[in-house]
Amino acid sequence: TCSCLRKKSRCLPLLMSLGILCFAGDARVRGQTGVVSERRGSYPFIDFRLLNNTTLSGEIGTKKKVKRLLSFQRYFHASRLLRGIVPQASLYLLDEDYLGQARHMLSKVGMWDFDIFLFDRLTNGNSLVTLLCHLFNVHGLIHHFQLDMVTLHRFFVMVQEDYHSQNPYHNAVHAADVTQAMHCYLREPKLANFLTPSDIMLGLLAAAAHDVDHPGVNQPFLIKTKHHLASLYQNVSVLENHHWRSTIGMLRESRLLAHLPKEVTQDIEQQLGSLILATDINRQNEFLIRLKSHLDNQDLRLEDAQDRHFMLQIALKCADICNPCRVWDLSKQWSERVCEEFYRQGDLEQKFELEISPLCNQQKDTVPSIQIGFMTYIVEPLFERWAQFTGNTPLSENMLNHLRRNKAKWRSLLHKQHSSSRSNDHSGQVTGSQEQTLNEEETP
């Protein structure tokens, strides 16, 4: 990291002189001569298949061996890039019926019941690229910023490809889902009346790239295995910093904003960082307390760039964890996917004799119990404050209603699990029908 990151107070006057907006609490993402980006492909995802199929002699149970395997993956990936073996863009192999259905869905992209899973199938796995092209056009961003369409599409493809489809949850479909939610929030009258084209572009870009190149494991895993990313970012917002710096790397590589003045692009890069870093779940209380204070004091002034940026951060945080507020069929799919990713990490930790992280033990942490806790302590407090900010709009009320109904359904499923467990304790065995019920409810 640059000296600016270590000595924030000394650098702030310089940053102000450069005309870069300084948002409270985010000085740590500043840089004297711009953001230090990460090169695409420098840090590949953790390939569970390689780890599980290792040919090393003996049992693999040490952090040293885990680190050795991850280092091999980096070498292997880098060697492929050096030889010119790079992933090719997905092709649009769609017939007219599928294209017509996808276009029809885009006409309703502002609806909260938008089915991103169906849209991803209709676009042959290109939901993020297709959605972003549509939204940039709808919001007039292509014309306003004089963006080259070929370059813009290339950048969107780069972002989509840098998500890992092997991840059950943190993949390009999740990014598309968050982007669609962000679009809905940007249309809320309380916010929309004050947003500038720059605000809208930042909101959509941050939503699309907020989890780019996610490795499928959480920050504690990276820290305890001494992963290079944890060292690079000194164990602070490790993944979020990586997502941000990777996004900047792609922006620069694509030269999407090369025609804009340098100070403008620097400001865009910094604000993208501020938005993406806000998605760190460890900063949840920080943002919630600040939002509560603003709402209680009624001192939000959205004419002011700093307050507007803060609400963009809140909107992105809401979009990132909005799955419990979707209709049950969609919400349940997301819940099962995120728990599957947790369980994969837990299995990996168990294999290497590491302490299993919270929520990652499939034998103890069931999907219903994880979701009820997540809704109660993380989602409800944030979305209740968001509804207060928006003035309880139809969308906010709809989301809260879904949240309450979904929570009740998870409670019912949890109660059935407990009832089955008590019955099993008494009988000493599980009947065929009970076993089927348990498998249907606990297995993602």
Side-chain angles (χ1 to χ4, degrees):
T1 55
C2 69
S3 59
C4 178
L5 299 180
R6 297 191 298 268
K7 302 176 182 178
K8 295 180 285 187
S9 59
R10 184 183 303 175
C11 293
L12 285 177
L14 173 61
L15 295 167
M16 292 297 291
S17 69
L18 289 173
I20 299 176
L21 291 174
C22 291
F23 298 98
D26 289 307
R28 61 182 175 168
V29 306
R30 308 298 167 188
Q32 291 187 25
T33 57
V35 180
V36 179
S37 65
E38 289 185 14
R39 181 174 58 84
R40 286 188 80 209
S42 298
Y43 309 117
F45 72 106
I46 297 173
D47 193 334
F48 293 95
R49 294 168 299 179
L50 178 60
L51 292 173
N52 290 332
N53 295 315
T54 179
T55 57
L56 292 179
S57 61
E59 286 297 319
I60 300 178
T62 66
K63 297 179 182 178
K64 183 177 181 181
K65 290 180 180 177
V66 175
K67 186 177 180 181
R68 186 188 308 157
L69 284 170
L70 298 180
S71 298
F72 169 75
Q73 289 181 65
R74 291 198 296 276
Y75 166 77
F76 178 73
H77 189 81
S79 66
R80 285 168 56 84
L81 291 175
L82 290 174
R83 296 198 308 269
I85 305 174
V86 296
Q88 297 300 312
S90 301
L91 298 176
Y92 287 86
L93 302 175
L94 302 174
D95 59 32
E96 284 301 317
D97 289 339
Y98 273 65
L99 287 171
Q101 292 179 60
R103 280 193 293 266
H104 178 70
M105 286 194 70
L106 283 175
S107 69
K108 300 182 178 181
V109 72
M111 305 294 290
W112 188 245
D113 61 354
F114 189 86
D115 188 341
I116 198 66
F117 296 111
L118 174 59
F119 186 68
D120 191 63
R121 291 194 295 271
L122 292 175
T123 57
N124 195 33
N126 288 281
S127 55
L128 184 58
V129 171
T130 308
L131 181 64
L132 283 169
C133 287
H134 176 74
L135 292 179
F136 264 61
N137 184 50
V138 166
H139 287 285
L141 302 176
I142 299 172
H143 174 75
H144 181 85
F145 291 99
Q146 295 297 293
L147 301 175
D148 178 75
M149 273 302 300
V150 174
T151 305
L152 182 67
H153 185 269
R154 184 187 307 124
F155 170 71
F156 290 158
V157 169
M158 289 167 68
V159 172
Q160 180 174 274
E161 285 187 342
D162 270 20
Y163 280 93
H164 305 300
S165 59
Q166 295 89 342
N167 293 340
Y169 183 83
H170 289 104
N171 51 44
V173 185
H174 166 65
D177 185 61
V178 173
T179 302
Q180 189 271 336
M182 191 65 166
H183 168 66
C184 293
Y185 299 158
L186 294 176
R187 299 173 68 210
E188 287 283 54
K190 186 71 177 290
L191 192 58
N193 293 335
F194 298 93
L195 292 178
T196 66
S198 180
D199 294 327
I200 296 171
M201 184 172 75
L202 282 166
L204 294 177
L205 286 178
H210 79 285
D211 273 331
V212 74
D213 201 33
H214 196 290
V217 293
N218 60 20
Q219 175 173 292
F221 181 92
L222 299 179
I223 292 174
K224 64 188 176 185
T225 57
K226 301 187 185 304
H227 195 272
H228 61 284
L229 288 177
S231 302
L232 180 63
Y233 296 117
Q234 302 176 349
N235 299 341
V236 177
S237 298
V238 175
L239 288 169
E240 291 74 24
N241 268 298
H242 175 57
H243 304 322
W244 166 39
R245 302 302 179 95
S246 297
T247 303
I248 300 310
M250 288 184 284
L251 272 173
R252 293 176 181 177
E253 182 180 337
S254 68
R255 297 186 58 79
L256 176 64
L257 306 177
H259 62 291
L260 299 177
K262 184 177 180 180
E263 59 272 17
V264 173
T265 58
Q266 284 185 345
D267 188 47
I268 289 173
E269 292 177 354
Q270 299 290 358
Q271 290 193 59
L272 273 176
S274 178
L275 289 169
I276 293 174
L277 286 175
T279 63
D280 185 350
I281 201 67
N282 294 314
R283 300 179 67 191
Q284 189 76 2
N285 285 338
E286 169 195 336
F287 281 93
L288 200 58
I289 291 171
R290 187 176 165 195
L291 177 60
K292 180 179 183 299
S293 175
H294 278 307
L295 295 175
D296 291 346
N297 297 327
Q298 299 183 353
D299 60 0
L300 274 174
R301 300 291 179 265
L302 296 181
E303 300 90 344
D304 180 72
Q306 291 192 23
D307 283 1
R308 207 162 56 243
H309 182 80
F310 173 69
M311 289 314 302
L312 281 178
Q313 290 176 311
I314 297 297
L316 180 58
K317 289 178 69 64
C318 288
D320 190 26
I321 61 171
C322 73
N323 300 149
C325 302
R326 297 284 192 178
V327 297
W328 171 249
D329 288 342
L330 299 178
S331 179
K332 184 171 181 286
Q333 286 188 67
W334 286 120
S335 298
E336 292 170 342
R337 283 168 174 260
V338 74
C339 288
E340 170 63 20
E341 197 164 292
F342 291 162
Y343 297 151
R344 286 188 184 185
Q345 176 178 322
D347 291 343
L348 191 62
E349 290 167 330
Q350 186 176 37
K351 180 179 178 66
F352 296 128
E353 297 181 5
L354 301 170
E355 181 182 359
I356 298 180
S357 299
L359 310 181
C360 295
N361 191 331
Q362 191 166 7
Q363 306 306 316
K364 297 180 180 179
D365 305 309
T366 65
V367 177
S369 63
I370 291 173
Q371 291 306 307
I372 291 169
F374 180 57
M375 292 177 177
T376 301
Y377 300 108
I378 302 296
V379 182
E380 281 181 342
L382 181 61
F383 276 86
E384 286 172 354
R385 290 296 176 181
W386 174 259
Q388 184 181 347
F389 163 73
T390 62
N392 296 306
T393 59
L395 174 58
S396 293
E397 289 293 327
N398 190 24
M399 291 192 297
L400 287 175
N401 287 335
H402 284 311
L403 177 61
R404 293 168 185 136
R405 285 194 292 267
N406 293 340
K407 186 176 179 180
K409 290 188 178 183
W410 285 122
R411 285 193 185 280
S412 176
L413 290 173
L414 185 63
H415 177 71
K416 290 180 181 179
Q417 287 183 351
H418 288 167
S419 298
S420 297
S421 297
R422 286 193 295 267
S423 176
N424 294 340
D425 290 339
H426 289 302
S427 65
Q429 60 182 4
V430 181
T431 65
S433 61
Q434 288 174 327
E435 184 176 9
Q436 182 179 0
T437 301
L438 281 172
N439 289 336
E440 290 174 351
E441 293 175 355
E442 290 188 1
T443 303

